[in-house]
Amino acid sequence: MESLMMVFGAGVLIPVLVMLYILIGRSRPKDPLFYVFGVFSFTSVIDLVISLEQDGYIKGFMEFYMKEGLAVQGGTTSKPGGDAFVQDPLNTSSVECSEDGGRNYRTIGLFWLGSLVMSLITLLLGTFVGKFGSEVRPAFLLNIPCVLVPLWAGKKILGSPRSLSQATADQVTKEQRKWIYRRPLDLCLVFYLLFVILYTLFRGFVSLDCFFDFCDTYKYEQEPYLLDPVMYARIQMLVNMFYLLPFFGLALYGLIVPGCVWMLDLTMIFAGAIAQAQFSHIGASLHPRTSFTYRVPSHNVSSFLYANVFFAVGAQLLALRCTIWSSFFLKGAPRNDEEMEKKVN
């Protein structure tokens, strides 16, 4: 039965691709990412249906699939819910942009890439090491293409041209000569990065069962979801510590030293990753389907939300700052349109 479910699940995606190819008629986009975003839009809707059925809003649509195919996801609504509510709008927007050959989808594509990769890392690791590890079915192998395809798509997105900056050489030079204290927004972002570095490091140690008393107090009083044997929360904190901490350090450097053009891409990728991670973590920590023992205590909900929402929103502001006001991060000072185009591309 399990093998049949895997074959059935894989077979569903082929008709989706064929229907997508037929329905768009003669004006078929040449960009293969159009079809990638189209298929992932379909899977995001499936995740939405799974989430709604797990929460009891609908019944009978995915019951057999959840029982025989993805029983390991039965312990958390946050993963399919996060995929649905975070990634589906990104997939739909990317489909629209890739269909219109004149529109650049690099920025939203990088955000989508970070969101999807973060979701898959947490899902796969949490599933195998958590309490559902013994219940992994062959249908779970359907996640392998979901890992390989984003890697290929990420390489293609990073190879696409950036939107040209409208900043002149004088504007770039003037902006890059300002010290950090003369850039109030960047100064606020530096303080944000210092906070999240400490916060991420602390939660990583808490997830590793740090022996200090205040770690235990935090774990039981502030974020008991870290104790859930499903392990998604603990894996998420460790992924944050090992992957987000280096990014935060690089971002600090990029805000202080001018000409770090890699900030334009890196901040967008990690903004998507952090949005996905925080949406899932906050949702699961407060969700009524999470065991009462592992839900955030009612008297600490406000402080939990303040810290985690600030964690998520700050990353979006950092990516927005780098995307809209990019003069400080441009390498050198382009003198004309031709030189600017060569530089940015």
Side-chain angles (χ1 to χ4, degrees), residues 138-168:
F140 194 73
L141 296 176
L142 292 172
N143 287 288
I144 293 178
C146 293
V147 175
L148 299 178
V149 172
L151 295 178
W152 168 81
K155 181 179 179 181
K156 188 169 180 60
I157 292 170
L158 287 169
S160 63
R162 289 195 184 95
S163 299
L164 295 179
S165 172
Q166 301 300 316
T168 64

Side-chain angles (χ1 to χ4, degrees), residues 141-280:
L141 296 176
L142 292 172
N143 287 288
I144 293 178
C146 293
V147 175
L148 299 178
V149 172
L151 295 178
W152 168 81
K155 181 179 179 181
K156 188 169 180 60
I157 292 170
L158 287 169
S160 63
R162 289 195 184 95
S163 299
L164 295 179
S165 172
Q166 301 300 316
T168 64
D170 291 338
Q171 290 173 332
V172 172
T173 302
K174 180 180 178 181
E175 187 68 22
Q176 293 186 349
R177 286 177 177 173
K178 293 181 181 179
W179 289 92
I180 186 69
Y181 66 85
R182 296 180 57 195
R183 292 178 277 124
L185 177 57
D186 289 354
L187 188 60
C188 291
L189 290 172
V190 165
F191 286 122
Y192 160 77
L193 288 170
L194 292 174
F195 165 78
V196 293
I197 285 173
L198 295 175
Y199 190 50
T200 301
L201 194 61
F202 172 68
R203 292 205 293 184
F205 284 133
V206 170
S207 298
L208 291 172
D209 294 326
C210 174
F211 57 83
F212 292 113
D213 291 339
F214 62 84
C215 290
D216 287 335
T217 301
Y218 180 86
K219 192 159 46 177
Y220 285 99
E221 292 294 327
Q222 196 70 26
E223 296 198 41
Y225 186 53
L226 296 176
L227 299 167
D228 194 334
V230 174
M231 293 289 288
Y232 288 117
R234 183 167 294 194
I235 291 296
Q236 183 66 74
M237 296 305 114
L238 295 178
V239 169
N240 288 356
M241 186 168 69
F242 290 119
Y243 292 96
L244 295 189
L245 272 182
F247 161 69
F248 293 143
L250 288 172
L252 268 176
Y253 176 86
L255 286 174
I256 296 172
V257 179
C260 297
V261 68
W262 43 264
M263 283 282 285
L264 305 180
D265 292 338
L266 204 61
T267 53
M268 191 56 62
I269 293 173
F270 279 90
I274 293 171
Q276 171 70 37
Q278 290 302 105
F279 183 94
S280 296

Side-chain angles (χ1 to χ4, degrees), residues 297-309:
S298 57
H299 59 279
N300 285 329
V301 169
S302 297
S303 58
F304 168 81
L305 286 175
Y306 289 147
N308 282 276
V309 171

